[in-house]
Amino acid sequence: MTTGEEKATTEAARAERARPTARRAVARRLSWGLADQAVCSMTNFAVGIYVARSLGLSAFGAFSLTWVTYGVVLGVSRGLATDPLMVRFSGVSDASWRAAAARATGTALGVGAAVGAVCLAVGLTLGGGVGHAFACLGVVLPGLLLQDAWRFSFFAAGTGRKACVNDLLGALALVPAMVLAARAGSVAGFVLAWGTAAAVAAAYGCLQSGIRPRVTEARAWLRAHRDLGYRYLVENVGVSGAAQLRAYGLGAIVGVSAVGVIRGAELLLGPFLAVLMGLSLVTVAEAARVLRQAPHRLGTFCLLLGGGQAVGALLWGAALLPVPDRFGELVLGGVWDAAFELLVPATLGVAGAGLGVGAAAGLRALGAARRSLRCQLFASACYVGGGLGGAAVAGTVGSAWGVAAATLSGSAVWWLHLRSALREHHHNTIREVRTS
C-alpha cells in the first residue's frame, strides 16, 4: 500500500469514528432545544390557562390581542438581531460569537425600547382596559426581547443548557408575579407579571454569558447584516403580522371573544407546539452545520425534520379527540366547548406549518433570504386571506379551516423553493470546484 493510500485509509477511518460523535452532538443540541422550549411553552400554556380562568372569555380576548402584538415585535427583533446571528455565527470561535452576541442582544434591547415607547404612548392614548394593557406591554418589551435574544445566542453557541436554565428561572419568577396579578384582577396586571419575570431572566442572561448588550453598536450590526436582516425582518413580520391581522379582523367580524376561542384552540395544541418551537430554536443552526459539513445531506435533513413534525402534530390532535368534556372544562373553563370545535382544523394547520418548517430551515441555512422572503409573503397572504375569508363565510370555525388550507398551501411553496435553492447551490459548488 502506498503512502497516499495509507493516508486516505486513515482519514476514512477517522471520519467513521467521528460520525457517531457528531450524531450524538446533534442529538444533544436538539434535546436541549426541546427541553428549553418545553419549559417556555409550558410556562406560556400555564399563563394562558391561568388568565383564561381568572378573567373570562372577553378579557382573555383582550390579553390575546397584546400577546399577538408582542409576537409582531418579537418578529422584528429576531429578524434584525438573532436570525443573522444564528445563520452566520453558529459553530464559530468563542471570540467571534461573544462579539456578535453583544451586538445582537444590544440590537434586540434597542428594538424593545423603541417599540415599547410607541406602545406606551398608544396605550395611554387609548385608555380603558385594552389601552392600559398595551401601555404595560410597552414597559416590559425591552426585557421580553432581551431574554429571547439570549436564548437564541446560547443556541448559536451550542450551549442550549444555558438557555434552558434561563427559562427555568423566568418560570420560577413568574409564579409569585402571577399570584399578585390575580389579586389585581386586570389584564394589565397579568401583562406586567409576564414581562417582569422575563426581565429577571434577561438580567440573569447577562451573568450567564458574561456579556453586556451593546445598544450603541446596534447600528453597526444592522449595517453589517442588512443583506439578511431586513429580508428576515419582513419575513418575520409577515408571520406575526398575519396573525395580528387575523386576530384584529376576526375581532371585528365575529367579536373579541372569537380571538379568545382561537387562542384556546392553540392552547389545546400547546404541548406539541412546544416541540415545534423548541426544534425551531436549533433547526437553522443545525441546518447551517449540515451545510458546512455534508451539504449533500441538507435536503434529507430538512425532509426528516418537516415530515416528523407534521406526523407528530397529527398524532397529538388525534390523541385529544376522545378527551372528556369535564376534563377539558377543568382546564379551559368556559373556553373549552368553543375551542374543542376547532381542534381538527387547528391540528391540520399546525401539521402544515410543521411541514414547512423543515424547508424554511434549509433556505435560511443556504442564506437564500430572497427566496425565503417570497415564500413567507405568499404564506402570510394566504393565512390572512384564508382566516378572514373563512370568518366572513362561516365565523370562527370557517376562519380555522381557512387557515388550515393556507398553511398547507404555503408549505408546498416552501418546498418548491428549497428544491430550486438546493439545485442552485449544487451547480454553484461544481462551478467553484472547476474554476479553482
Side-chain angles (χ1 to χ4, degrees):
M1 183 180 290
T2 64
T3 303
E5 291 174 337
E6 291 176 352
K7 184 178 180 180
T9 302
T10 302
E11 291 178 352
R14 288 176 180 172
E16 282 296 320
R17 289 194 298 270
R19 194 168 296 165
T21 303
R23 289 195 187 114
R24 285 195 295 270
V26 172
R28 183 174 63 253
R29 289 191 292 268
L30 289 174
S31 297
W32 278 117
L34 290 173
D36 171 72
Q37 190 59 45
V39 173
C40 183
S41 292
M42 289 302 101
T43 301
N44 291 341
F45 178 77
V47 169
I49 295 298
Y50 197 62
V51 175
R53 293 185 62 84
S54 300
L55 298 180
L57 187 57
S58 180
F60 184 55
F63 181 82
S64 298
L65 288 177
T66 62
W67 190 279
V68 296
T69 301
Y70 160 70
V72 175
V73 183
L74 186 64
V76 174
S77 176
R78 288 179 177 177
L80 295 177
T82 51
D83 283 342
L85 179 73
M86 292 288 281
V87 171
R88 289 180 169 161
F89 295 93
S90 293
V92 300
S93 67
D94 184 65
S96 297
W97 172 80
R98 291 181 69 83
R103 292 189 291 167
T105 53
T107 302
L109 190 58
V111 170
V115 181
V118 175
C119 287
L120 178 60
V122 171
L124 293 177
T125 301
L126 288 175
V130 174
H132 292 158
F134 273 88
C136 291
L137 178 64
V139 172
V140 300
L141 264 178
L144 286 165
L145 297 188
L146 180 57
Q147 188 205 9
D148 185 76
W150 281 129
R151 295 173 66 215
F152 278 80
S153 297
F154 290 140
F155 279 109
T159 55
R161 177 180 59 84
K162 291 184 177 180
C164 188
V165 171
N166 190 279
D167 270 327
L168 278 171
L169 176 64
L172 291 174
L174 191 60
V175 175
M178 279 290 163
V179 172
L180 293 175
R183 291 180 180 177
S186 66
V187 178
F190 281 105
V191 173
L192 281 177
W194 164 45
T196 301
V200 171
Y204 183 60
C206 298
L207 296 176
Q208 285 178 291
S209 62
I211 297 172
R212 180 170 59 87
R214 298 188 178 275
V215 180
T216 56
E217 295 188 19
R219 184 175 296 179
W221 174 265
L222 295 175
R223 189 183 305 114
H225 303 286
R226 62 180 178 271
D227 59 323
L228 294 181
Y230 292 118
R231 285 194 173 97
Y232 288 156
L233 164 65
V234 176
E235 184 178 329
N236 290 349
V237 170
V239 177
S240 51
Q244 189 175 28
L245 286 174
R246 181 205 180 191
Y248 288 165
L250 189 62
I253 295 170
V254 184
V256 176
S257 297
V259 182
V261 174
I262 294 293
R263 178 62 182 153
E266 292 172 354
L267 288 173
L268 292 177
L269 295 164
F272 177 77
L273 289 174
V275 176
L276 179 66
M277 296 177 68
L279 288 174
S280 70
L281 285 171
V282 293
T283 49
V284 175
E286 292 304 323
R289 289 186 178 95
V290 171
L291 181 63
R292 292 190 185 101
Q293 298 168 7
H296 61 284
R297 294 179 180 169
L298 181 61
T300 302
F301 173 83
C302 294
L303 182 60
L304 291 173
L305 177 67
Q309 290 179 95
V311 172
L314 295 174
L315 291 175
W316 179 259
L320 289 176
L321 287 173
V323 172
D325 287 341
R326 60 180 179 276
F327 179 75
E329 291 171 358
L330 181 65
V331 175
L332 286 179
V335 181
W336 165 256
D337 289 334
F340 186 76
E341 291 182 8
L342 308 183
L343 179 60
V344 173
T347 299
L348 293 176
V350 172
L355 186 62
V357 164
L363 284 176
R364 290 206 167 186
L366 289 166
R370 185 173 298 176
R371 284 188 177 276
S372 63
L373 176 59
R374 291 174 186 168
C375 292
Q376 191 55 66
L377 290 177
F378 174 82
S380 297
C382 289
Y383 182 92
V384 174
L388 297 186
V393 173
T396 310
V397 175
S399 179
W401 279 107
V403 166
T407 54
L408 291 170
S409 301
S411 292
V413 173
W414 278 106
W415 279 102
L416 289 172
H417 275 272
L418 177 62
R419 185 176 65 175
S420 299
L422 287 171
R423 287 176 179 173
E424 290 176 2
H425 179 77
H426 179 67
H427 292 324
N428 291 339
T429 302
I430 294 175
R431 191 179 301 115
E432 290 173 4
V433 170
R434 286 176 177 173
T435 56
S436 60

